[in-house]
Amino acid sequence: MPAPPPQSAPPTAETDAQLIEVSLRRPERFGALFDRHHEAIHRYVHLRLGESAADDIAAETFLRAFRGRTRYDLSRPDARAWLYGIASNLVDGHRRAEARRYRALARSAEVTHVVSHDERVVQRVAAAVMQPRLAAGLAALSPGDRTVLLLVACAQLTYEEIAEALGVPRGTVGSRLNRARRKLRTSITIEESS
């Protein structure tokens, strides 16, 4: 019996860096990067600023990424940290609104009902993350500490990815995260004992 004909290897997915590089010649290919990461970026911004800002900030993130793609370090195959860095910078521009949102969440223990599955998923995550005491603690953190904490908690980035996203040393990420955790523990403990 003859051997079966060799099968060609399945096509491998392009890395983010490859998509960005190709998009320099064929701009429409950047859409694949958008498709790949938009949902996660949108969810991150939604958790930080709420639904009203999430659409605009997520869209602005990808617009800035598209415009800045010529400066992307193509030696980095995964653009996640780069995109979260852009989103975090945009969120920082809205940090006063974010702090007000956390203070409002701290005052409100009521969870509203939503219809769509996506909204239910986001709401469950937000409810777990945004308990009133936690929301009050988040509002009290410095913007840098809050950003690092939420990149770990919401985006599940590594220390290295956060350092890359924010343009700070890895040690600074660790310091900010430890400080944020310590302040939150203190804030929650004080609230519990009140």
Side-chain angles (χ1 to χ4, degrees):
M1 175 175 238
Q7 295 192 7
S8 61
T12 57
E14 292 174 293
T15 66
D16 293 344
Q18 290 168 328
L19 286 172
I20 292 168
E21 184 176 31
V22 169
S23 80
L24 296 174
R25 295 181 308 282
R26 296 180 44 217
E28 71 277 4
R29 290 295 292 139
F30 195 83
L33 191 74
F34 176 90
D35 293 341
R36 189 177 286 174
H37 296 289
H38 178 265
E39 185 179 331
I41 296 295
H42 187 277
R43 185 174 37 251
Y44 170 69
V45 175
H46 181 212
L47 290 170
R48 298 279 314 259
L49 297 175
E51 185 61 34
S52 63
D55 291 341
D56 292 340
I57 299 294
E60 180 69 18
T61 296
F62 285 93
L63 180 61
R64 288 194 183 185
F66 180 79
R67 288 178 178 160
R69 71 192 191 281
T70 58
R71 294 184 308 275
Y72 183 76
D73 179 357
L74 295 173
S75 70
R76 298 183 182 276
D78 186 354
R80 229 167 53 111
W82 179 56
L83 293 169
Y84 277 109
I86 294 169
S88 292
N89 286 336
L90 291 169
V91 166
D92 285 346
H94 289 79
R95 71 179 123 198
R96 283 184 300 224
E98 179 185 36
R100 282 192 304 270
R101 182 178 186 308
Y102 289 138
R103 285 190 295 272
L105 283 168
R107 291 187 302 269
S108 169
E110 180 181 330
V111 176
T112 58
H113 296 286
V114 290
V115 177
S116 78
H117 172 72
D118 291 342
E119 283 295 319
R120 280 195 305 272
V121 170
V122 170
Q123 186 179 25
R124 284 185 191 138
V125 171
V129 174
M130 304 298 177
Q131 294 298 322
R133 290 180 301 225
L134 181 56
L138 287 170
L141 293 176
S142 72
D145 291 353
R146 184 171 47 242
T147 297
V148 167
L149 179 71
L150 292 175
L151 282 171
V152 168
C154 299
Q156 299 178 345
L157 295 184
T158 65
Y159 283 27
E160 289 78 16
E161 290 172 320
I162 295 168
E164 178 186 340
L166 301 179
V168 298
R170 185 186 184 285
T172 300
V173 171
S175 298
R176 288 180 182 178
L177 185 59
N178 287 333
R179 185 172 41 249
R181 287 176 174 161
R182 187 176 61 251
K183 287 180 179 180
L184 277 179
R185 269 194 298 272
T186 301
S187 176
I188 291 170
T189 303
I190 290 170
E191 288 287 323
E192 287 177 346
S193 62
S194 297

